[in-house]
Amino acid sequence: MGWRGILRGHGPGPGRLAVTADLRWTRMRKIAVVLAQRRRPPQELWDRVVFALEDQIMVACAAGHLLAEAGPAVLDGHADRLAAFLRHHRSADAYSPSLTDHVLVALTGLDDRRALPLLTARVADSSSFLLGRDFAPTLGRLPAADLLPALLARLRAAPDGHSVEGALALLGRWGAPAGAAVPLLAPLLGGPYARGACEVLGRIGPGGAATADVLADLARGRTRPARQGWPGTANPWHGRQSAAWAHWRVTGDAGLALEVCGSFARAGIGGPVLRYLGDLGPAAAAHVDDVRALLDAPGAWTRVEAASAFWRITGDPEPTVAVLLRELAPLRDARLTEPAGAAVRHLGAIGAPAAAAVPLLRDALADERRAHERILFDERLCRSLETALDGIEGNI
């Protein structure tokens, strides 16, 4: 069945009531399949998804999930309809609170301030699942001042696992403007969310200086946080490098970070330590040989992060670009992997010396096929590709 056949009898208009809700739901799922496979389907498909918010609850829920994943371009012109739905959100909440959350995310993605009052209330509500890693990039586009008071209120009232993980993802997006969260982050350094708390404190920077001594003890291994699920065990904590990096960021003293992160690099351990050494830049020059050795590591993620770190430490793009180009290979088959997505971002940061990547990046952006089963992730890839091309071609 083509897309016109899918739409026949679907959505508001004559004949809608003659089609059962089950059939309309089935057609919405078929629309979802098309939207998940094609980047540039007929706009009418996205329009019908918006109209389906007025349908019965199971159809509206399927539509809401799609809208939260959509990019702003396809929703342009529908902001008033989304805002109108939110004015009557209590009817939807009686059946599915997540439907309201999804529409809120869609309206927020349009930079529409009408979402803010309800969004603030939902962020503060511990029963809402609006806080989540998937939507942190969208919510993080708002100024910290808009959501931070509500977020802190939620953490004080109900610091459950979902709230803490979602809050960390959002606070990390804001960085320094989230400094008011430091008193609530400090206790997390003693528990299962210590590594995430280190990451956020590092992004806040000098505003987190009050935690410097605790971070130093964690980095040196003098103390370690309690580990959820393994009470009383002697398992080593694998976040020492995160604490050392955060210590540098909050104090400005790179000595401990160089010592700890350098030791991990010498041991051939990749992952975050390579990002931390890259952040240190030329100050980490003593460890560049250890980083270079990881350019040929077995894991694609390690190779990509080693390539970025090597460039950021040395300023030499030659080996870096060659490694990153190889890691773009999955995009030729419209397949997004985390290393390929990171390679796109790193190439854009390098700029003009990465000009050899332009044809492949253009082809990946022009591809009609989505590179991930989640529309949300493919839309972010497209924005990364556009940003990378701007960064490279704008500096040639």
Side-chain angles (χ1 to χ4, degrees), residues 3-394:
W3 66 269
R4 292 188 183 278
I6 292 173
L7 290 177
R8 192 172 297 120
H10 182 88
R16 187 185 74 166
L17 297 179
V19 181
T20 67
D22 284 345
L23 183 54
R24 294 198 302 277
W25 182 85
T26 298
R27 287 176 172 167
M28 179 57 63
R29 298 310 303 159
K30 290 180 179 179
I31 289 174
V33 170
V34 175
L35 296 178
Q37 293 174 343
R38 297 177 59 183
R39 285 179 175 166
R40 289 168 284 276
Q43 178 61 36
E44 185 178 355
L45 288 181
W46 280 112
D47 295 343
R48 290 293 183 176
V49 173
V50 177
F51 297 152
L53 289 175
E54 301 172 8
D55 210 319
Q56 292 189 357
I57 191 66
M58 66 178 184
V59 182
C61 284
H65 180 80
L66 288 169
L67 294 174
E69 302 249 328
V74 297
L75 297 182
D76 188 36
H78 289 298
D80 288 345
R81 188 177 291 272
L82 298 178
F85 173 89
L86 293 175
R87 286 197 293 273
H88 306 286
H89 68 91
R90 288 184 179 83
S91 298
D93 285 348
Y95 297 94
S96 177
S98 65
L99 171 56
T100 300
D101 289 346
H102 286 148
V103 176
L104 267 174
V105 169
L107 190 59
T108 302
L110 291 171
D111 296 325
D112 194 308
R113 301 289 290 180
R114 286 176 290 181
L116 190 56
L118 183 56
L119 184 64
T120 301
R122 303 289 273 216
V123 166
D125 182 358
S126 61
S127 67
S128 169
F129 282 85
L130 185 62
L131 283 185
R133 292 185 178 275
D134 284 357
F135 300 133
T138 300
L139 301 185
R141 292 169 56 181
L142 291 169
D146 285 346
L147 292 183
L148 187 58
L151 185 63
L152 298 184
R154 178 167 178 168
L155 289 178
R156 292 188 188 101
D160 59 278
H162 177 80
S163 296
V164 172
E165 290 179 356
L168 291 175
L170 192 50
L171 292 169
R173 291 270 167 181
W174 286 325
V182 170
L184 293 178
L185 292 170
L188 297 180
L189 295 174
Y193 301 103
R195 193 165 194 165
C198 287
E199 287 277 352
V200 175
L201 286 165
R203 290 170 185 161
I204 289 173
T211 63
D213 291 343
V214 177
L215 292 171
D217 286 342
L218 288 170
R220 292 190 174 101
R222 292 173 180 166
T223 60
R224 64 185 182 90
R227 297 184 62 182
Q228 193 173 38
W230 296 283
T233 64
N235 291 341
W237 182 52
H238 297 294
R240 288 181 56 210
Q241 66 270 45
S242 300
W245 170 81
H247 181 269
W248 163 60
R249 293 280 297 154
V250 303
T251 66
D253 182 353
L256 184 57
L258 289 169
E259 174 190 338
V260 174
C261 294
S263 68
F264 277 88
R266 282 193 299 276
I269 296 174
V273 71
L274 292 168
R275 174 164 53 85
Y276 301 149
L277 288 172
D279 286 348
L280 287 158
H287 305 290
V288 72
D289 289 339
D290 299 316
V291 173
R292 187 198 301 269
L294 293 172
L295 294 174
D296 297 317
W301 189 249
T302 298
R303 293 193 298 270
V304 166
E305 293 305 310
S308 174
F310 184 87
W311 172 70
R312 296 173 72 192
I313 294 169
T314 67
D316 180 3
E318 185 174 349
T320 291
V321 172
V323 171
L324 296 178
L325 280 173
R326 288 196 296 271
E327 301 307 331
L328 294 179
L331 298 183
R332 298 181 188 275
D333 300 319
R335 184 168 58 88
L336 173 62
T337 63
E338 286 194 61
V344 170
R345 295 190 294 273
H346 295 329
L347 288 163
I350 291 170
V358 166
L360 201 157
L361 297 176
R362 282 180 179 164
D363 288 347
L365 184 59
D367 200 326
E368 171 62 17
R369 299 170 296 172
R370 290 205 182 273
H372 197 280
E373 61 184 5
R374 291 283 303 275
I375 296 171
L376 183 72
F377 296 155
D378 183 71
E379 289 291 325
R380 288 178 188 163
L381 169 64
C382 289
R383 290 194 290 274
S384 293
L385 288 165
E386 291 170 350
T387 300
L389 286 167
D390 288 343
I392 295 170
E393 295 180 309

